[in-house]
Amino acid sequence: MPTTVVTDLPAPRLTDTFGRHINYARLSVTDRCDFRCVYCMAEDMEFLPRSEILSLEEIYAIAQGLVNAGINTLRLTGGEPLIRNNILWLIEKLGALEGLQELTLTTNGSQLSKYASELARLGVQRINISLDSLDPLKFKQITRTGNLEQVIEGIDAARAAGFKQIKLNSVIMKQRNDEEILDLVNFAIAREIDIAFIEEMPLGEINEHDRAQTYCSSDEVRQCIEQRHKLLPSKKTTSGPSRYFKVDNSNSHVGFISPHSHNFCSDCNRVRVTVEGRLLMCLGNEHSVDLRTILRDQAADKQALTTAIKQGLLLKPERHYFDLNSQPDIVRFMNMTGG
Ligand code: SAM
Ligand code: SF4
């Protein structure tokens, strides 16, 4: 009888207890950052001691475990991923990781003039760049330490580097940058890149502003854009939670990430890994698995990581509940969460 040789095994498929297919992980490669954005961090931040942070080799081992478990898309984030020492070593390894279909990165843009072409060469396909203001003074007030000119140079370096997609991310806050919505859209259109507007989430306790008062819903942002531009329905999807529209007469899309006004949990396809090696099942809940302990346990075998990831998924909650009018339930800041 002829024997059948199976050469192409089907990719593993991860499904949670609510039937959602999980194929996307965001890896925070550092909790540190050269900016202190007012919605993301407190002014005086304490960062993790070095011993608690995963080494780049450990992050790579976790990435392998995730891909073995069924993840096919990775996003590197932080903190600011491009200020981690030797980050290009990790990116090169991930760019060559078998089974990984897409490697992406989220950055504040400050280091992009230095790194953009190298990132594209090493296999980063899509890149998100945060940009909340086009006014140098306001940009400085929102980021506390950032330099707008440097970030715009970084955006232009990314455009020249030839990524498959560049998307700007803007967190809109009333009385802070809401009057810049159209300018930000026009900036994206002029550069033929996309832009997503994010509703601020109550992660970590901040006292720079009252999140309930500065809250600006995606519908308000959309109304503002529609005063000037026609937004056409679009089938565009990315691995993230944005709902996209094509801006008429342009090569740009506008996306809305609406954790408050349009809950996206039913379509959630992702998990996060913090730089301490906590596999977080949900942005707005604390269910997690400690992968660092498994990694550092000499007795654990390679399979132990993949098994822990698969079992951890059973903890994934159905949805998040955010309330801007009370103290945040989630004390970890976005730089710890890996946005
Ligand atoms: N440093 C990089 C950057 O700023 O793009 C990557 C990490 S940052 C935490 C990732 C994204 O999270 C950024 O687009 C940022 O605007 C967003 N973000 C941070 N804190 C947030 C919050 N409290 N609510 C909503 N978005 C937030
Ligand atoms: Fe840094 Fe990004 Fe947080 Fe701003 S949003 S403080 S750039 S990690």
Side-chain angles (χ1 to χ4, degrees):
M1 236 177 85
T3 48
T4 313
V5 180
V6 181
T7 47
D8 284 326
L9 290 172
R13 194 177 161 88
L14 269 180
T15 307
D16 75 359
T17 50
F18 300 95
R20 294 172 295 198
H21 176 208
I22 312 298
N23 65 346
Y24 175 35
R26 297 190 182 199
L27 301 182
S28 175
V29 298
T30 178
D31 59 334
R32 281 153 217 261
C33 188
D34 49 345
F35 291 4
R36 296 283 183 279
C37 300
V38 294
Y39 47 75
C40 177
M41 290 196 186
E43 191 157 17
D44 286 325
M45 285 292 286
E46 271 189 34
F47 296 105
L48 292 166
R50 199 155 294 275
S51 60
E52 288 183 22
I53 287 176
L54 298 177
S55 66
L56 293 179
E57 288 80 1
E58 287 173 325
I59 295 176
Y60 180 65
I62 287 184
Q64 284 179 309
L66 288 163
V67 170
N68 289 341
I71 297 292
N72 58 28
T73 303
L74 289 178
R75 176 172 295 280
L76 301 184
T77 179
E80 174 46 44
L82 297 182
I83 63 163
R84 172 97 197 225
N85 268 345
N86 282 332
I87 188 65
L88 292 184
W89 176 87
L90 177 66
I91 290 174
E92 183 166 15
K93 296 276 285 180
L94 294 177
L97 180 56
E98 206 177 320
L100 185 64
Q101 285 173 16
E102 195 165 49
L103 179 62
T104 65
L105 179 110
T106 300
T107 172
N108 65 22
S110 70
Q111 310 300 312
L112 271 181
S113 348
K114 197 160 61 179
Y115 287 134
S117 57
E118 198 60 358
L119 293 173
R121 190 184 70 78
L122 295 177
V124 174
Q125 283 133 302
R126 291 185 294 114
I127 189 159
N128 289 352
I129 308 168
S130 297
L131 181 70
D132 302 319
S133 174
L134 292 165
D135 172 326
L137 202 67
K138 228 185 292 168
F139 184 86
K140 173 75 84 190
Q141 284 164 354
I142 294 176
T143 59
R144 291 196 180 104
T145 58
N147 176 325
L148 177 64
E149 201 185 330
Q150 197 180 350
V151 170
I152 292 182
E153 278 170 21
I155 293 171
D156 289 334
R159 288 173 60 229
F163 293 103
K164 192 163 110 193
Q165 183 196 284
I166 302 174
K167 174 165 74 75
L168 302 177
N169 276 342
S170 302
V171 176
I172 298 297
M173 295 165 285
K174 281 205 173 134
Q175 313 292 330
R176 299 298 294 263
N177 60 349
D178 58 336
E179 76 287 4
E180 287 199 65
I181 295 168
L182 273 174
D183 292 342
L184 287 162
V185 171
N186 291 336
F187 177 91
I189 292 173
R191 283 168 168 75
E192 302 192 315
I193 59 182
D194 296 334
I195 181 164
F197 292 99
I198 308 176
E199 291 175 350
E200 182 179 352
M201 291 173 247
L203 299 178
E205 204 180 322
I206 53 164
N207 50 24
E208 198 271 349
H209 59 280
D210 178 342
R211 282 170 166 148
Q213 293 202 348
T214 54
Y215 171 65
C216 187
S217 73
S218 295
D219 286 349
E220 290 171 279
V221 175
R222 185 173 164 179
Q223 275 165 21
C224 172
I225 299 169
E226 285 182 326
Q227 286 168 16
R228 188 74 59 82
H229 297 286
K230 197 166 171 188
L231 294 184
L232 307 170
S234 167
K235 290 208 170 81
K236 185 183 176 80
T237 50
T238 57
S239 32
S242 277
R243 295 171 294 129
Y244 280 103
F245 296 84
K246 171 97 174 27
V247 185
D248 200 13
N249 293 319
S250 82
N251 287 325
S252 296
H253 288 81
V254 169
F256 298 100
I257 301 177
S258 323
H260 301 282
S261 61
H262 291 266
N263 184 284
F264 43 68
C265 299
S266 61
D267 296 327
C268 187
N269 63 343
R270 72 207 70 110
V271 289
R272 291 175 163 76
V273 182
T274 71
V275 73
E276 308 149 276
R278 261 176 90 199
L279 175 67
L280 268 180
M281 303 304 154
C282 171
L283 181 73
N285 286 283
E286 292 296 1
H287 309 69
S288 68
V289 175
D290 175 7
L291 298 181
R292 187 183 64 194
T293 300
I294 299 170
L295 261 180
R296 292 183 182 177
D297 174 0
Q298 304 298 326
D301 60 17
K302 273 199 157 179
Q303 186 57 33
L305 206 56
T306 306
T307 307
I309 292 165
K310 287 183 176 165
Q311 284 175 351
L313 256 205
L314 304 177
L315 301 174
K316 190 167 167 66
E318 188 172 13
R319 55 168 296 169
H320 65 249
Y321 293 91
F322 285 143
D323 180 0
L324 288 173
N325 291 304
S326 58
Q327 290 292 91
D329 290 336
I330 304 295
V331 292
R332 79 186 122 74
F333 288 93
M334 192 59 140
N335 70 306
M336 286 299 303
T337 306

